[in-house]
Amino acid sequence: LGSATAPRGLYMYGGVGVGKSFVMDTFFACAAVPDNKKRRLHFNEFMLEVHKRMHELRRDYPEYGDPVPHVAHTIAQNTQLLCFDEFQVTDVADALVMRRLFRHLFCMNLVMVATSNREPDRLYLNGIQRASFVPFIEDLKARCECHDLDSETDYRMLAQVSRGANTYMYPLGEQTQQAMDELFTGLT
């Protein structure tokens, strides 16, 4: 799938509050990809866009036939890096489109980074026509490093590190620097 020189993506999964979205957001902010060539969005939002575009192509250009390759081409022309938060598949329509869509995207060297509460093999578990979806899981594992962010700590529940300090501070900037200075002063 795709070029051997294309970087592998990352699929992070684990319990709630372990920092998956934080890691992805930090990566997204630091990725050496032009801003107009990278997108970060909720996975369900992305799939709604895909279905809408497929509908428009079927309606406006029925002579194109299968809209999936056209949608994939448009996405890949405009995007090098796709970051998905809350990667979850519960809808049969999404499941049936994903294998074909992502096979095209991966072949066009698009890089995907995603967060999920489910390990890849448990995606769309017990879903209708899951056998048609399983090849997507194999493609995902071939193109993405899959990593379990296993932690017993739910960082969302940690209200303070010490005397009102945040668990982490982001984005970096003048306000963050001031907060760090105040925290350090309080500790010394």
Side-chain angles (χ1 to χ4, degrees), residues 132-145:
S132 297
F133 177 78
V134 170
F136 165 77
I137 295 171
E138 298 309 314
D139 290 348
L140 173 72
K141 292 193 286 189
R143 280 304 304 265
C144 295
E145 184 70 33

Side-chain angles (χ1 to χ4, degrees), residues 2 9 33 35 37-38 48-49 65 70 86 88 102-103 107 109 126 128 157-158 176 178-179:
V33 176
D35 287 346
K37 290 289 186 177
K38 60 184 179 179
L48 286 172
E49 289 178 11
H70 301 283
E86 300 293 332
Q88 179 175 306
F102 280 91
R103 181 152 295 172
C107 286
N109 296 323
N126 300 321
I128 298 170
M157 296 298 155
L158 296 178
T176 304
Q178 182 180 358

Side-chain angles (χ1 to χ4, degrees), residues 57-88:
L57 285 171
R58 284 185 183 121
R59 181 192 65 213
D60 299 341
Y61 303 98
E63 66 274 13
Y64 284 7
D66 182 8
V68 171
H70 301 283
V71 171
H73 179 77
T74 300
I75 293 168
Q77 287 296 312
N78 297 314
T79 313
Q80 293 174 350
L81 172 65
L82 265 177
C83 292
F84 295 123
D85 200 18
E86 300 293 332
F87 195 98
Q88 179 175 306

